[in-house]
Amino acid sequence: MERPHNFSAGPCILPLEVFEKASQSVIDLDGSGLSILEISHRSAAFVEIIEKARALALEQLNLNNKGYKALFMQGGASMQFLMTAYNLLEKKAGYLDTGTWSANAIKEAKNFGNVEVVASSKDKNYNYIPKQYEVPTDLDYLHCTSNNTIFGTQMKSFPETVKMPLVCDMSSDIFSREIDYSQFDLIYAGAQKNMGPAGATLVVVKEDILGKVTRDIPSMMNYELFIKRESMFNTPPVFSVYVSMLTMEWLARNGGVSAIEKKNQKKSESIYSEIDRNPLFKGFTEKEDRSMMNATFTLKDEKLAPRFDELWQSANINGLNGHRSIGGYRASMYNALSIESVETLVDVMKHFEKTI
Amino acid sequence: MERPHNFSAGPCILPLEVFEKASQSVIDLDGSGLSILEISHRSAAFVEIIEKARALALEQLNLNNKGYKALFMQGGASMQFLMTAYNLLEKKAGYLDTGTWSANAIKEAKNFGNVEVVASSKDKNYNYIPKQYEVPTDLDYLHCTSNNTIFGTQMKSFPETVKMPLVCDMSSDIFSREIDYSQFDLIYAGAQKNMGPAGATLVVVKEDILGKVTRDIPSMMNYELFIKRESMFNTPPVFSVYVSMLTMEWLARNGGVSAIEKKNQKKSESIYSEIDRNPLFKGFTEKEDRSMMNATFTLKDEKLAPRFDELWQSANINGLNGHRSIGGYRASMYNALSIESVETLVDVMKHFEKTI
């Protein structure tokens, strides 16, 4: 059976060679006779895996020797909404409100202090990225979301915050494009898009921003403690860290972030060209803010949906339905999705136009 | 290559048929053409998996239709140390201090209110379970740890707490023995012993104990919210939940908790008999408090360690070293460990005695 073209928004497609190696290691990790699922997290084999994963993360973001530490945690971005505030929010934090996940981050931060929404695109159901705003100078940190999975917008540049930490939720576009990652002081990302399977969360944090709040921080919320324990305060999500390591190795083998960005550009240009050309479709977001990861679009005539759905489903395409909060379609094109999968979708859209 | 006899304390051995099925599903889940690692957590396939896992957990604990909900969370028992207090501790909670994990639970709870240590076995490096103590009547809840992985003690009975919730950390012996699970109001367990791989945490909670504290509870800490969202507030650790489901299915197919308890009794009787009989060894814990899961023992003459280590290692035994805090040896005999593996270890101990 041919593998489906998987446009799922996350958890999402990973490289086939990663699936193959991971599958083998569930039976026998590197000839040890033991499954990756049954080894101690304190074993030499796993310590090597998590150290390699931590190093690869910094390397791929070009953050080596710049004062950053990479940690593997649990709970996804939603847990980081809470943890960032626990560790950094003393009096007031600023947030850019650019989508559902930003809004959730704001909600959680309010448990710990004042939150100022510095800019918001909620007025147009988050179909653009706000650009004209001033960042107050009295914030403990400024928080943004680099890519909005649900709405399909992506920040192309980031506010300058010389005197305060910049925190970024990069769950859905980390490792997808070359940007200056050192402009951020804390980056977090649920693994389940470009890094690996669900169950692990990457946190990359500049050490010198920590230790400045006066509250007591519970152990499992405490970045400093996780740094001190080399990301092994308690049992980490062993398999998710392992598959993340395999995926980052695959990325490194294939030219790293700069090479994958070129591939991602090709894929997104291909789909957006068709959305703009094809008279049956319209894009959801402002063109200049379009995400390279998640292309959102709708049918101009919703009555045609059954016919289009039939076509893409019979082309072995999976996961194209839009999020329930905006409807329509969403083509998620994470790192591991092939150009051929995008071409298949574009062909379906063209064929749909010709045969309607 | 023959699989090692894996006595690892956790993550630990799971049934080989679970490894085989999980390995296959990393390539292709049930003929879908998609990996278990790339499917959406909102897909029909995964919703069925997590619902089956939640149902199996209640069924195996004989807690169906008794007001309990089963949830899959992340962060292990260490996150539950924090969450139980967040959700239940208003003024004062009582804790039994029976080992390292109890002590950690106490430490985290102190972030949220007063903690009274009702009884402790710290005076003898936790080598017994305290029995003569009175439970104060003004506690928000009483917390205990059913099995102490590091020290090898296990509670054989539990305090009666008619008017207050009883909370139990069952990470290392859940699903291993028939007890009246309905005496507990909240049970939690990191998956990585008898339930599945690291990365998932089971919480079984009686709904009527929730909603009684006055503090605001952040979303990711909130049991009530997780119940409302059917354990899918955010992306769950898909693979760990899946393998937990497979492991609980294996348990059910093999006669459930009552059948596995008989097997576990045989294994632990076999090893403890040898520890008591063999003049070269001594057990670490009080006999009446010995754990059926983790047998801890030492050499009477530590100078013999290199010879014993050589023997068990060449018998393809893995993970027998004791925890660094007590040294010596620890034979962890979780559900999936075969009687043959224990017999192999006992044979090595006998052979060691004869040839020393």
Side-chain angles (χ1 to χ4, degrees), chain B residues 34 46 72 90 150 162 175 198 245 250 260-261 282 315 323:
Chain B
L34 292 165
F46 185 69
F72 282 95
E90 183 78 14
I150 292 177
V162 183
F175 302 130
M245 183 205 76
W250 166 86
I260 208 80
E261 179 176 23
K282 61 173 181 229
H323 190 272

Side-chain angles (χ1 to χ4, degrees), chain B residues 222-292:
Chain B
N222 193 329
Y223 294 131
E224 283 187 298
L225 188 58
F226 270 72
I227 290 173
K228 211 169 129 189
R229 301 290 187 84
E230 301 291 347
S231 199
M232 289 258 258
F233 171 71
N234 68 338
T235 313
V238 171
F239 184 74
S240 297
V241 172
Y242 174 66
V243 181
S244 296
M245 183 205 76
L246 294 179
T247 309
M248 288 188 286
E249 283 184 332
W250 166 86
L251 178 62
R253 264 199 315 279
N254 287 277
V257 171
S258 67
I260 208 80
E261 179 176 23
K262 291 192 185 75
K263 179 182 159 194
N264 290 334
Q265 273 166 343
K266 267 195 196 166
K267 290 187 291 183
S268 68
E269 278 162 21
S270 172
I271 184 77
Y272 285 122
S273 305
E274 180 60 16
I275 290 168
D276 292 341
R277 187 207 61 75
N278 193 318
L280 301 177
F281 295 100
K282 61 173 181 229
F284 175 78
T285 68
E286 293 293 331
K287 286 187 184 180
E288 64 178 12
D289 301 322
R290 280 172 165 176
S291 165
M292 205 157 56

Side-chain angles (χ1 to χ4, degrees), chain A residues 1-5 16 313 316, chain B residues 27-34:
Chain A
M1 175 180 188
E2 244 176 78
R3 299 190 79 83
H5 302 286
L16 184 58
Q313 281 160 13
N316 206 17
Chain B
I27 299 291
D28 181 358
L29 178 67
D30 298 332
S32 64
L34 292 165

Side-chain angles (χ1 to χ4, degrees), chain B residues 93-114:
Chain B
Y95 279 71
L96 301 185
D97 175 30
T98 55
T100 305
W101 304 115
S102 301
N104 286 354
I106 289 165
K107 178 172 176 288
E108 300 307 318
K110 284 180 177 167
N111 286 301
F112 299 92
N114 294 321

Side-chain angles (χ1 to χ4, degrees), chain A residues 70-343:
Chain A
L71 304 171
F72 282 94
M73 310 191 106
Q74 296 183 64
S78 294
M79 190 66 88
Q80 294 308 312
F81 299 162
L82 168 61
M83 284 185 68
T84 49
Y86 232 129
N87 284 270
L88 303 176
L89 178 47
E90 183 76 16
K91 285 185 181 153
K92 190 170 76 164
Y95 279 71
L96 301 184
D97 175 30
T98 55
T100 305
W101 303 115
S102 300
N104 285 355
I106 290 165
K107 179 172 176 288
E108 300 306 319
K110 284 180 176 167
N111 285 303
F112 298 92
N114 293 321
V115 171
E116 181 168 340
V117 177
V118 172
S120 174
S121 51
K122 198 178 176 183
D123 57 334
K124 292 188 178 171
N125 199 21
Y126 298 119
N127 79 343
Y128 69 105
I129 298 287
K131 283 164 209 95
Q132 303 302 326
Y133 53 86
E134 258 186 52
V135 180
T137 55
D138 62 341
L139 304 174
D140 294 326
Y141 61 89
L142 180 68
H143 180 284
C144 59
T145 312
S146 55
N147 185 74
N148 300 288
T149 333
I150 292 177
F151 302 96
T153 59
Q154 188 173 31
M155 295 178 77
K156 310 295 177 184
S157 64
F158 296 86
E160 281 186 38
T161 56
V162 182
K163 284 184 184 166
M164 73 182 73
L166 183 59
V167 176
C168 189
D169 175 359
M170 258 183 223
S171 294
S172 55
D173 67 352
I174 195 163
F175 302 129
S176 74
R177 55 175 173 163
E178 267 198 311
I179 52 177
D180 175 9
Y181 290 96
S182 76
Q183 68 192 297
F184 307 99
D185 299 272
L186 195 156
I187 296 167
Y188 61 83
Q192 66 270 17
K193 322 278 185 187
N194 284 327
M195 193 174 73
T201 313
L202 176 68
V203 174
V204 174
V205 60
K206 209 167 182 182
E207 275 192 276
D208 64 12
I209 69 167
L210 300 175
K212 302 197 171 158
V213 293
T214 51
R215 75 173 62 83
D216 290 328
I217 305 173
S219 303
M220 284 297 288
M221 297 284 115
N222 193 330
Y223 293 131
E224 283 188 299
L225 188 58
F226 270 71
I227 290 172
K228 209 169 129 190
R229 301 291 187 85
E230 302 291 349
S231 199
M232 289 257 257
F233 171 70
N234 69 337
T235 313
V238 171
F239 184 74
S240 297
V241 171
Y242 174 66
V243 181
S244 297
M245 182 205 76
L246 294 179
T247 308
M248 290 188 283
E249 282 184 331
W250 167 86
L251 178 62
R253 264 198 315 277
N254 287 278
V257 170
S258 67
I260 207 80
E261 179 175 23
K262 291 193 184 77
K263 179 183 160 192
N264 289 334
Q265 273 166 344
K266 268 195 195 166
K267 291 186 292 183
S268 68
E269 277 162 21
S270 173
I271 184 78
Y272 284 123
S273 305
E274 180 61 17
I275 290 169
D276 292 340
R277 187 206 62 76
N278 193 318
L280 301 176
F281 295 99
K282 61 173 184 231
F284 175 77
T285 67
E286 293 293 331
K287 286 186 184 180
E288 64 178 13
D289 301 323
R290 280 173 165 176
S291 165
M292 204 156 58
M293 295 285 99
N294 316 93
T296 47
F297 56 102
T298 51
L299 281 166
K300 287 183 187 158
D301 179 358
E302 282 201 10
K303 287 197 297 294
L304 299 178
R307 169 75 182 139
F308 181 58
D309 293 350
E310 193 195 321
L311 281 177
W312 62 262
Q313 281 160 13
S314 63
N316 206 17
I317 284 171
N318 175 69
L320 201 67
N321 289 316
H323 190 271
R324 59 189 182 278
S325 58
I326 68 167
Y329 301 96
R330 171 171 51 170
S332 296
M333 301 167 291
Y334 297 113
N335 286 354
L337 190 81
S338 69
I339 293 175
E340 293 68 37
S341 285
V342 177
E343 283 168 354

Side-chain angles (χ1 to χ4, degrees), chain B residues 158-196:
Chain B
F158 297 87
E160 280 187 39
T161 56
V162 183
K163 283 182 183 168
M164 74 183 73
L166 183 59
V167 176
C168 188
D169 175 359
M170 256 182 226
S171 294
S172 53
D173 68 351
I174 196 163
F175 302 130
S176 73
R177 55 176 173 164
E178 266 198 311
I179 52 178
D180 176 9
Y181 290 96
S182 74
Q183 68 192 299
F184 307 99
D185 299 89
L186 194 156
I187 296 167
Y188 61 84
Q192 66 269 16
K193 320 280 185 185
N194 285 327
M195 194 176 72

Side-chain angles (χ1 to χ4, degrees), chain A residues 34 38-40, chain B residues 4-8 312 316-321:
Chain A
L34 292 165
E38 68 177 316
I39 62 167
S40 167
Chain B
H5 303 285
N6 189 5
F7 287 86
S8 180
W312 61 262
N316 206 16
I317 284 172
N318 175 70
L320 199 69
N321 289 316

